[in-house]
């Protein structure tokens, strides 16, 4: 879109783009899965999941009437969102629940946009969400993480071809869908070793009396469900074994 007028940019954002070939969809799926499974790369890419996680806490806190005071993102890919309001009640429960399910739900939302060929809109919505979150970041590492992610999205959406934009949009979507599952596994692994006494699941246990493991199960079911539904939306015409042998 480099050199385009504002009107042309707007038409590009709200318009639809050509459906990419199935090969691109499948290659980006494999690439995203490798990123999630390969430890050294995951430790860097997980920052994106943390941004989504803390953004989910922040959004639900605001929607439930709490006052958001700040978000911090740390170099170990952990984060914390601080809000002020009642210490008990549905608002706190939904705020606590939002973190681990948000990356997967975002991935599902991205998949929905891709099924109707709004690839550019997906990238620009991501930019807007990052800009809104940046206002509430309260530490240097968090600012760097959000700005760096936003700059990458802007460069892709403004300077690259439709094919590159499609590849990035699908890669982001698959990464959120796959990447929403691994943190849930890591959470339960830490809980089993008693290394996360103040995790979201344990805070929800103290708020509701429902066991922490039950909340981890809810996180996992949402993540797996989003992957299955989102994956079906992205590759609905994938040949089955019967098709290949007939």
């Amino acid at each position: 879109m480099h050199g385009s007028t504002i009107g042309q940019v707007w038409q590009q954002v709200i318009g639809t783009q050509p459906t990419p070939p199935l090969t691109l969809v499948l290659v980006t799926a494999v690439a995203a899965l490798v990123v999630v499974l390969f430890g050294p790369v995951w430790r860097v890419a997980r920052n994106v999941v943390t941004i989504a996680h803390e953004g989910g806490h922040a959004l639900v806190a605001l929607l439930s009437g709490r006052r958001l005071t700040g978000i911090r993102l740390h170099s170990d890919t952990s984060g914390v969102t601080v809000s002020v309001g009642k210490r008990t009640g549905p608002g706190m429960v939904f705020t606590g629940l939002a973190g681990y399910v948000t990356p997967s739900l975002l991935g599902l939302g991205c998949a929905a946009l891709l099924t109707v060929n709004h690839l550019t809109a997906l990238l620009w919505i991501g930019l807007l969400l990052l800009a809104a979150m940046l206002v509430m970041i309260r530490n240097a590492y968090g600012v760097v993480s959000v700005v760096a992610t936003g700059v990458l999205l802007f460069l892709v959406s403004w300077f690259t071809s439709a094919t590159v934009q499609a590849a990035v949009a699908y890669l982001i979507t698959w990464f959120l869908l796959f990447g929403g599952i691994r943190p849930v596994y890591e959470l339960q692994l830490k809980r089993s070793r008693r290394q996360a006494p103040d995790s979201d699941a344990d805070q929800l246990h103290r708020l509701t009396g429902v066991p922490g493991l039950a909340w981890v199960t809810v996180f996992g079911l949402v993540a797996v469900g989003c992957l299955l539904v989102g994956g079906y939306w992205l590759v609905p015409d994938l040949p089955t074994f019967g098709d290949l042998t007939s």
Side-chain angles (χ1 to χ4, degrees), residues 6-31:
I6 293 177
Q8 290 172 328
V9 170
W10 176 246
Q11 289 301 318
Q12 179 76 2
V13 171
I14 65 173
T16 59
Q17 289 73 46
T19 302
L22 180 61
T23 301
L24 182 146
V25 178
L26 296 179
V27 167
T28 53
V30 172

Side-chain angles (χ1 to χ4, degrees), residues 13 40 64 83 96 102 190 229:
V13 171
S64 63
S83 61
T102 294
K190 288 182 178 179
V229 175

Side-chain angles (χ1 to χ4, degrees), residues 44-56 58 70-75 77-81 123-155 172:
V44 177
R46 197 185 193 282
N47 284 285
V48 175
V49 176
T50 302
I51 290 172
H53 179 115
E54 299 304 329
I71 302 170
R72 291 178 177 271
L73 306 173
H74 304 133
S75 58
T77 71
S78 66
V80 61
T81 298
L123 299 175
W124 281 84
I125 289 172
L127 276 172
L128 291 174
L129 291 175
L130 288 169
M133 186 173 180
L134 182 61
V135 176
M136 299 306 302
I137 297 294
R138 294 293 182 263
N139 67 324
Y141 183 83
V143 171
V144 171
S145 296
V146 173
V147 170
T149 305
V151 167
L152 286 174
L153 279 182
F154 174 76
L155 292 176
I172 290 171

Side-chain angles (χ1 to χ4, degrees), residues 91-241:
M92 275 296 293
V93 172
F94 284 114
T95 298
L97 176 62
Y100 277 96
V101 302
T102 294
S104 296
L105 292 174
L106 275 178
L108 188 62
C110 290
L113 284 173
L114 294 180
T115 59
V116 291
N117 295 327
H118 282 293
L119 284 74
T120 305
L122 185 156
L123 299 175
W124 281 84
I125 289 172
L127 276 172
L128 291 174
L129 291 175
L130 288 169
M133 186 173 180
L134 182 61
V135 176
M136 299 306 302
I137 297 294
R138 294 293 182 263
N139 67 324
Y141 183 83
V143 171
V144 171
S145 296
V146 173
V147 170
T149 305
V151 167
L152 286 174
L153 279 182
F154 174 76
L155 292 176
V156 169
S157 62
W158 192 262
F159 292 105
T160 65
S161 66
T163 300
V164 173
Q165 289 186 25
V168 172
Y170 274 88
L171 183 62
I172 290 171
T173 301
W174 283 117
F175 174 72
L176 289 171
L177 291 172
F178 286 123
I181 296 176
R182 180 162 177 171
V184 178
Y185 165 76
E186 293 174 341
L187 168 64
Q188 184 53 31
L189 190 63
K190 288 182 178 179
R191 293 185 71 253
S192 67
R193 297 170 178 172
R194 292 180 170 79
Q195 296 175 341
D198 294 318
S199 71
D200 290 355
D202 292 287
Q203 291 183 48
L204 286 166
H205 165 58
R206 290 192 284 270
L207 284 167
T208 65
V210 177
L213 181 59
W215 289 109
V216 175
T217 302
V218 170
F219 300 157
L221 289 175
V222 171
V224 172
C226 287
L227 174 60
L228 293 176
V229 175
Y232 176 75
W233 286 350
L234 295 174
V235 285
D237 300 321
L238 188 65
T240 63
F241 180 76

Side-chain angles (χ1 to χ4, degrees), residues 55-78:
H57 282 314
L59 177 60
V60 175
L62 289 172
L63 291 176
S64 63
R66 300 180 63 79
R67 181 168 62 86
L68 186 64
T69 60
I71 302 170
R72 291 178 177 271
L73 306 173
H74 304 133
S75 58
D76 63 355
T77 71
S78 66

